[in-house]
Amino acid sequence: MAASVTSRALDVLGAFDAEHRSLTLSELARRAGLPLATAHRLIGELREWGALARLESGEYVIGRRLWDLGLLAPVQSGLRQAASPFLHDLYGATLATVHLAVRDGCEVLYVDRLAGHVSVPVVSEIGSRLPLHATGVGKVLLAYAPEDVRAEVFTRLTRITPYTITQPSRLAEQLRRVRTDGYATTGEEMSLGACSVAVPVGADGVVAALGIVVPDLRRDKARLVAALQVAARGIGRTLASAE
Amino acid sequence: MAASVTSRALDVLGAFDAEHRSLTLSELARRAGLPLATAHRLIGELREWGALARLESGEYVIGRRLWDLGLLAPVQSGLRQAASPFLHDLYGATLATVHLAVRDGCEVLYVDRLAGHVSVPVVSEIGSRLPLHATGVGKVLLAYAPEDVRAEVFTRLTRITPYTITQPSRLAEQLRRVRTDGYATTGEEMSLGACSVAVPVGADGVVAALGIVVPDLRRDKARLVAALQVAARGIGRTLASAE
DNA sequence: TACTTGGCTTCCGTTCAGTGGAAGGGGTGG
DNA sequence: CCACCCCTTCCACTGAACGGAAGCCAAGTA
């Protein structure tokens, strides 16, 4: 329980997440599990360095310096760089929200994202994590994931919308079809009004998934799948040649 | 001189920059100005939390968790969000590398960037800072910057390529033309083989600059400027309606 | 105007976590 | 085999971090 200064400072930073981008001193202290005075002092130091900033409202937010630092992280930077132009092509061809994601443990981690003008209700953002079983990219990644991951995911198929697949047998069947068909689809399983298609990406082995989100899939699924596969192949080729 | 633990830990993080994305223990210690043993222990804690990660090579890099955190920083997030679709449109129309930048003191800060397949030699990345006088977006931002910033910049017009403008009178003349014409251009002033066009962005007052980089400007400057202005107006309108 | 409430800031004596020199381990190359 | 460099671990000393308490300030209430 006795926490080191460093870990306490990090806990302060860890108090921020996608739902809590700005916090007051007392919220920060509470979320970090620190006495007010201690949090106050730590925040002061973090702020001085630029890790935190303070809004006019008095709330604290992540500072620009951490933004800078974060961009230096090699989080799939090779993949992102290789994929970038193809994501734009894909957006150009479909005008849909485009996602590039990898599997991080038992979750989908969105590493790049490209939103169009008219956006269907999409919950993902770059850096956000979502369950593997309820998203298009997630199903693709799950279909090619090691056995233990799949087993783990199957134990808790949490329901998100009325259409979320929570029955292990149904999901297993879908994953089988993903492997034979080469693409995965979802229909309002993550958020109502949003359907998705996704395909695997990789030179040898699946390293990522590429997906798009559209309001409706019935109309031109074939065209979308084709566009996705062209982009995925392009990314795969770029990745392979980069080595 | 006596540094707090927190500031030391932050100094370790601060040892990373665009030129040093991965560092060995001893490099880190040296750059952070810490004894090896101390750095070692701090790094251990940072690593445990996920702020740092270790490559197979033994070098340390910024960890995924800091990447997550950095994305939460409100660095022009309103602007980026509003601009995002228009950047894609612009890319679609021009197939050139697209930049969205703001002025940060006496430098250009690139807040978004979108690279195409064939990339001219472009040095900018998201998060990078470049001089105001040698880039297209920089000239736009400079043209609408307060007097004191302009004065400051004019005192050191460092030469980067043989074509960089280092003569204050010439730059002043160009900025005047930017204000009358509504766009700025550069020709290999930042890196050889790269020309750029940029226009101001903003509902009232210039809040950012939008630019593209192309290998050659002589051919269809007029078309590119038109495309830029359409996008810039779109962003401006989105920003205005968001308030 | 006086009182309460709630969040923020400062103070300071105690104490325990952080310190860093030194010694040990492991790989490379001469 | 030794020399060199880099990483890791140890541990006795000490000064930096701690946090309860008191003081502030602003907004709401009587």
Side-chain angles (χ1 to χ4, degrees):
Chain A
M1 183 69 253
S4 69
V5 207
T6 314
S7 73
R8 283 163 185 231
L10 292 171
D11 286 344
V12 169
L13 296 180
F16 292 92
D17 62 29
E19 282 78 48
H20 302 86
R21 287 159 184 260
S22 66
L23 296 166
T24 65
L25 170 61
S26 4
E27 285 171 329
L28 261 174
R30 197 174 326 120
R31 289 175 59 88
L34 296 174
L36 205 66
T38 304
H40 182 255
R41 187 166 26 77
L42 287 174
I43 290 170
E45 292 197 82
L46 291 169
R47 193 145 78 97
E48 193 174 322
W49 187 81
L52 295 181
R54 194 166 196 188
L55 304 175
E56 310 82 63
S57 65
E59 292 190 309
Y60 294 95
V61 292
I62 298 292
R64 181 174 280 185
R65 194 146 177 199
L66 273 192
W67 182 70
D68 285 7
L69 264 188
L71 294 174
L72 299 177
V75 178
Q76 307 291 343
S77 50
L79 172 65
R80 267 152 60 209
Q81 212 175 324
S84 176
F86 295 101
L87 299 187
H88 304 313
D89 294 349
L90 188 55
Y91 169 70
T94 62
L95 296 180
T97 301
V98 176
H99 284 144
L100 181 69
V102 296
R103 184 174 61 77
D104 185 24
C106 289
E107 290 177 304
V108 181
L109 173 62
Y110 287 85
V111 296
D112 211 343
R113 172 181 193 270
L114 208 146
H117 290 282
V118 278
S119 45
V120 271
V122 177
V123 279
S124 64
E125 283 181 77
I126 298 178
S128 67
R129 282 157 226 274
L130 292 178
L132 282 166
H133 70 283
T135 61
V137 282
K139 283 187 198 168
V140 167
L141 294 169
L142 194 54
Y144 295 96
E147 190 47 57
D148 55 331
V149 172
R150 229 172 312 155
E152 169 75 19
V153 169
F154 271 69
T155 62
R156 23 190 178 77
L157 299 176
T158 46
R159 152 151 287 131
I160 296 148
T161 72
Y163 304 102
T164 307
I165 297 171
T166 55
Q167 220 178 318
S169 59
R170 268 194 70 205
L171 184 58
E173 167 57 23
Q174 288 214 350
L175 297 185
R176 224 170 293 127
R177 294 202 48 191
V178 170
R179 281 188 293 266
T180 56
D181 297 351
Y183 66 87
T185 61
T186 62
E188 309 192 280
E189 296 162 32
M190 183 71 221
S191 66
L192 294 172
C195 301
S196 66
V197 205
V199 298
V201 170
D204 52 356
V206 173
V207 298
L210 182 66
I212 56 175
V213 182
V214 290
D216 186 358
L217 257 179
R218 275 158 299 181
R219 279 196 301 151
D220 45 7
K221 190 171 92 170
R223 191 177 64 82
L224 297 176
V225 170
L228 276 164
Q229 282 174 337
V230 168
R233 258 198 301 279
I235 298 172
R237 233 177 294 126
T238 309
L239 281 175
S241 66
E243 279 158 20
Chain B
M1 183 69 249
S4 69
V5 208
T6 315
S7 72
R8 282 164 186 231
L10 292 171
D11 287 342
V12 169
L13 297 180
F16 292 92
D17 62 30
E19 282 79 47
H20 302 85
R21 286 160 183 261
S22 67
L23 295 166
T24 64
L25 170 60
S26 3
E27 285 172 328
L28 262 173
R30 198 174 325 121
R31 288 175 61 85
L34 296 174
L36 204 67
T38 305
H40 182 256
R41 188 167 22 79
L42 286 175
I43 290 170
E45 291 197 83
L46 291 168
R47 193 145 79 98
E48 194 173 324
W49 187 82
L52 295 182
R54 194 167 196 187
L55 304 176
E56 310 82 63
S57 65
E59 293 191 308
Y60 294 96
V61 292
I62 299 293
R64 184 174 278 185
R65 194 146 177 200
L66 272 192
W67 181 71
D68 285 8
L69 265 188
L71 294 173
L72 299 177
V75 177
Q76 307 290 343
S77 50
L79 172 64
R80 267 152 59 209
Q81 212 174 323
S84 177
F86 295 101
L87 299 187
H88 303 313
D89 294 349
L90 188 55
Y91 169 71
T94 63
L95 297 179
T97 301
V98 176
H99 285 144
L100 181 67
V102 297
R103 187 175 59 78
D104 184 24
C106 289
E107 290 177 302
V108 182
L109 172 63
Y110 287 85
V111 297
D112 212 343
R113 173 180 192 271
L114 207 146
H117 291 282
V118 278
S119 44
V120 271
V122 177
V123 279
S124 63
E125 285 181 75
I126 297 178
S128 68
R129 281 156 228 272
L130 293 178
L132 283 167
H133 70 284
T135 62
V137 282
K139 282 187 197 169
V140 167
L141 294 169
L142 195 54
Y144 296 95
E147 189 48 56
D148 55 333
V149 172
R150 229 173 311 156
E152 170 76 17
V153 170
F154 271 68
T155 61
R156 23 192 178 76
L157 301 175
T158 46
R159 153 152 286 132
I160 295 148
T161 74
Y163 304 102
T164 308
I165 296 172
T166 55
Q167 219 178 316
S169 59
R170 268 193 71 204
L171 185 58
E173 168 57 22
Q174 289 213 349
L175 297 184
R176 224 170 292 128
R177 293 202 49 189
V178 170
R179 282 188 293 265
T180 56
D181 297 351
Y183 66 87
T185 62
T186 62
E188 308 192 280
E189 296 162 31
M190 185 68 220
S191 66
L192 294 173
C195 301
S196 66
V197 206
V199 298
V201 171
D204 53 356
V206 173
V207 300
L210 182 66
I212 56 176
V213 181
V214 289
D216 186 358
L217 257 178
R218 275 158 298 180
R219 279 196 302 150
D220 46 8
K221 189 171 93 172
R223 191 178 65 81
L224 297 177
V225 170
L228 276 164
Q229 283 174 336
V230 167
R233 258 198 301 277
I235 299 172
R237 233 177 294 125
T238 310
L239 281 175
S241 66
E243 280 157 20

